[in-house]
Amino acid sequence: MATQDRPSADDLSAGVSVRDLADGGMMSGRVGDDDVVLLRRGDSLFALGAHCTHYHGPLAEGLVVGDTLRCPLHHACFDIRTGQPVRAPALDPIACWRVERVGDQAFVRERLPEPEPQPQRQRPHEATIELRPRAPDSVVIVGGGAAGLAAADMLRREGYQGALTMFSADDYPPCDRPNLSKDYLAGNASDDWIPLRPPEFYADRRIDLVLNARVTRIDPHKRELRLGDGKQLPYGALLLATGADPVRLEIPGAQSAQVHYLRTFADSRAIVAKAASAKRALVVGASFIGLEVAASLRARGLEVHVVDPGRVPMERVLGAEVGRFVQGLHESNGVAFHLGATLAHIEGARATLSDSATLDADLVVLGVGVRPAIALAEEAGLAIDRGVVVDEFLQTSAPGVYAAGDIARWPDPHTGERIRVEHWVVAERQGQVAARNMLGRREPFDAVPFFWSQHYDVTINYVGHAESWDSIEVEGSLAARDCAVSYRRAGRTLAVATIARDRQSLQAESAMESAR
Ligand SMILES: Cc1cc2nc3c(=O)[nH]c(=O)nc-3n(C[C@H](O)[C@H](O)[C@H](O)COP(=O)(O)OP(=O)(O)OC[C@H]3O[C@@H](n4cnc5c(N)ncnc54)[C@H](O)[C@@H]3O)c2cc1C
Ligand code: FES
């Protein structure tokens, strides 16, 4: 991984020379027991915790952009002045230290206290001249996933004091969904890694999290919703964050006990339980999730077959060359591919493919895509276009109703098109922006889309959005697992996928931000 030019230093409290530290440059060291990054921005110096609060990413290998420090792994963004996580996926701040400069020497002094959230009160002058709309009396979030949790977290961080309720159809609190096909499924992460927040988080922040609670109807005119058990509830502002549901295959035998889908923690646990006694797994769909499942089941020692109707895995998203690389990576780890075929039917442990080939499998995982869960929005009469249509502030066609995450189709300023994606980080960031807009911020959602996918020891980071392209340029080498792949249309870079070039991925993101 490329790193910034940074002299190494040990004890930052004893004083280090910053004469050669360039603008945006970083050096790592320690203060007492803490790993700390010292960075320069213009003429100022900042000292911050060295590890990202998402997955412990090495922030010294990240990028300083404006007043933010960005994590190389999944692009979390921290304010260099306060340590606050301004953009997901990190939800917790990093520590900050006071820096004193004496000539060319910098001394990292005491740790600074974390700033308190400012209560969202209407100030007297705002009340008279109406600078900001009044915060809603109550907020209801429908969906206990990435977008829902990030929104609830942000509302309280922004000092929102009103009633805050989150309904989730799941039986488990908001969880780290990307982990369900990766480390957790592979057996490398324990159950306690999975909740995004501990139980006391909800109590401490007065977030009324109601599990096993499906919202069945919303009435945007009356500002009221109804639950599956018939209860009705008024809301001041509403966030729809209902995510997506796996596409179910309507083929004979698809209901059998060995057939699984993967969306929830319960789904992942069921696959883990089955994998304990299974010997041969069939994964249907060479999608990101399908192939992550294949890798995780290989890690558990199962024989794994993958069936997909395409010529090359992931060709539609990553192009043929990267797709063939991903296929080769899986094959070298023992996965057998059956491409150009679909699953026709299942009978007992025997799966028959569309080309009449048969495969024995005592575990079948169907990863054939998802559909945005838009029924609630549709029935409420909200504008729909292959997702819930939102404006740049993530508000739907109904005032006071916002949508975020897998269901939202928003006007993306980078492509100039309305897009909808199924990315974890985008869902969380949209939840955060929708939350601030509920409080009257009028902040457009303009983040460059980002996702990552992990296969064995290879992680692919992808920034931007390219539904089609007229050229692909590979810089570096796929075979050496060290490259940046640019997807271009009419000479414009729409997206960049990287392997082992995390800093380049951050630079590509930043370039797309400034290109607008
Ligand atoms: C196994 C797996 C691995 C993934 N890995 C990655 C990855 O590596 N990188 C990446 O970028 N993305 C990944 N994704 C995609 C990512 O998880 C989604 O894009 C993200 O979770 C979307 O967030 P969301 O809040 O829109 O929906 P979700 O997180 O799905 O949450 C939706 C919530 O809404 C609830 N709900 C639905 N309908 C109702 C209703 N009517 N009433 C009440 N509650 C309701 C659901 O129960 C759920 O709690 C992965 C997804 C899966 C399933
Ligand atoms: S580890 Fe920093 S964003 Fe994931």
Side-chain angles (χ1 to χ4, degrees):
M1 180 189 297
T3 57
Q4 266 173 301
D5 185 23
R6 54 197 160 92
S8 67
D10 271 330
D11 185 359
L12 297 175
S13 64
V16 284
S17 169
V18 288
R19 194 180 39 224
D20 300 327
L21 193 61
D23 190 4
M26 293 185 256
M27 60 169 73
S28 11
R30 298 182 68 78
V31 175
D33 291 334
D34 295 302
D35 293 327
V36 171
V37 176
L38 179 66
L39 68 86
R40 186 174 152 202
R41 164 90 179 103
D43 289 334
S44 306
L45 293 167
F46 300 91
L48 298 141
H51 303 291
C52 177
T53 51
H54 177 230
Y55 267 37
H56 222 64
L59 293 174
E61 292 171 15
L63 192 68
V64 177
V65 181
D67 278 355
T68 65
L69 171 57
R70 300 185 176 187
C71 177
L73 299 195
H74 317 109
H75 295 204
C77 222
F78 297 92
D79 186 321
I80 56 174
R81 292 169 198 283
T82 61
Q84 287 298 308
V86 285
R87 277 186 186 172
L91 298 173
D92 291 308
I94 47 174
C96 296
W97 282 260
R98 187 171 68 83
V99 185
E100 195 178 327
R101 188 167 182 169
V102 183
D104 282 341
Q105 294 280 107
F107 296 84
V108 179
R109 304 294 195 199
E110 76 280 0
R111 192 171 162 154
L112 298 170
E114 210 184 296
E116 292 288 320
Q118 294 301 308
Q120 178 86 19
R121 280 197 211 97
Q122 195 110 1
R123 293 184 203 101
H125 68 282
E126 286 182 347
T128 43
I129 57 172
E130 300 266 332
L131 277 182
R132 259 190 188 193
R134 182 184 280 280
D137 292 338
S138 64
V139 174
V140 173
I141 296 170
V142 186
L149 186 273
D153 179 76
M154 183 54 74
L155 283 165
R156 288 306 189 217
R157 262 170 53 198
E158 286 284 324
Y160 176 61
Q161 306 272 322
L164 178 49
T165 310
M166 198 166 155
F167 292 113
S168 174
D170 285 354
D171 58 0
Y172 195 83
C175 73
D176 185 354
R177 216 175 286 292
N179 208 314
L180 302 179
S181 51
K182 303 180 182 67
D183 286 328
Y184 184 77
L185 192 60
N188 301 325
S190 56
D191 283 28
D192 56 329
W193 281 34
I194 299 304
L196 285 177
R197 293 298 203 183
E200 60 274 17
F201 167 85
Y202 302 96
D204 291 351
R205 285 166 182 71
R206 295 182 301 109
I207 300 169
D208 189 8
L209 172 64
V210 191
L211 299 176
N212 290 310
R214 187 169 283 278
V215 175
T216 53
R217 204 182 160 85
I218 52 172
D219 184 334
H221 302 291
K222 292 189 188 153
R223 295 205 175 210
E224 203 171 77
L225 58 80
R226 188 186 302 155
L227 290 156
D229 61 8
K231 273 193 202 125
Q232 309 222 128
L233 190 83
Y235 63 80
L238 184 76
L239 175 66
L240 287 175
T242 46
D245 298 315
V247 172
R248 308 266 154 185
L249 271 194
E250 304 290 334
I251 54 159
Q255 309 299 329
S256 343
Q258 85 266 33
V259 176
H260 292 259
Y261 293 89
L262 177 53
R263 184 75 193 179
T264 64
F265 188 30
D267 294 338
S268 189
R269 277 193 290 204
I271 298 172
V272 168
K274 189 79 188 178
S277 59
K279 301 236 170 330
R280 292 183 107 210
L282 172 60
V283 175
V284 183
S287 58
F288 285 102
I289 291 180
L291 290 183
E292 287 185 351
V293 168
S296 296
L297 294 179
R298 285 298 299 139
R300 286 183 179 270
L302 274 74
E303 184 180 325
V304 178
H305 294 256
V306 174
V307 177
D308 191 276
R311 277 186 315 139
V312 177
M314 297 178 177
E315 185 177 5
R316 193 180 55 77
V317 184
L318 296 177
E321 195 174 350
V322 181
R324 275 193 291 272
F325 161 76
V326 173
Q327 180 179 350
L329 174 67
H330 281 269
E331 283 171 341
S332 66
N333 280 279
V335 173
F337 281 86
H338 306 265
L339 297 171
T342 54
L343 179 62
H345 57 92
I346 302 172
E347 214 176 320
R350 174 144 299 187
T352 304
L353 308 187
S354 51
D355 58 7
S356 303
T358 57
L359 289 167
D360 287 334
D362 37 16
L363 168 59
V364 179
V365 181
L366 299 180
V368 293
V370 296
R371 273 196 201 103
I374 57 173
L376 205 52
E378 227 164 2
E379 211 205 33
L382 305 185
I384 301 288
D385 170 19
R386 296 158 294 149
V388 179
V389 175
V390 292
D391 64 14
E392 68 265 49
F393 308 112
L394 304 177
Q395 190 168 228
T396 68
S397 55
V401 180
Y402 294 76
D406 285 3
I407 60 168
R409 185 171 289 277
W410 82 98
D412 172 40
H414 306 284
T415 52
E417 292 160 12
R418 281 192 171 275
I419 63 170
R420 188 187 70 77
V421 301
E422 289 147 12
H423 305 347
W424 180 257
V425 169
V426 171
E428 289 191 317
R429 290 178 176 181
Q430 288 188 341
Q432 294 178 324
V433 170
R436 289 196 285 258
N437 286 337
M438 284 176 172
L439 303 179
R441 280 284 188 83
R442 302 286 290 167
E443 176 183 325
F445 179 77
D446 60 4
V448 174
F450 166 81
F451 76 83
W452 81 100
S453 185
Q454 189 187 316
H455 307 257
Y456 314 96
D457 55 349
V458 171
T459 299
I460 301 171
N461 278 1
Y462 182 103
V463 286
H465 183 78
E467 286 179 17
S468 64
W469 51 80
D470 53 33
S471 72
I472 295 182
E473 189 199 336
V474 180
E475 185 196 321
S477 159
L478 274 161
R481 301 176 183 186
D482 175 13
C483 60
V485 183
S486 300
Y487 300 83
R488 300 208 175 96
R489 197 165 59 214
R492 198 165 145 235
T493 302
L494 298 176
V496 178
T498 54
I499 296 173
R501 293 194 177 192
D502 294 346
R503 199 150 176 273
Q504 198 169 339
S505 175
L506 285 169
Q507 284 163 336
E509 178 185 64
S510 168
M512 286 178 202
E513 284 169 3
S514 354
R516 278 209 298 130

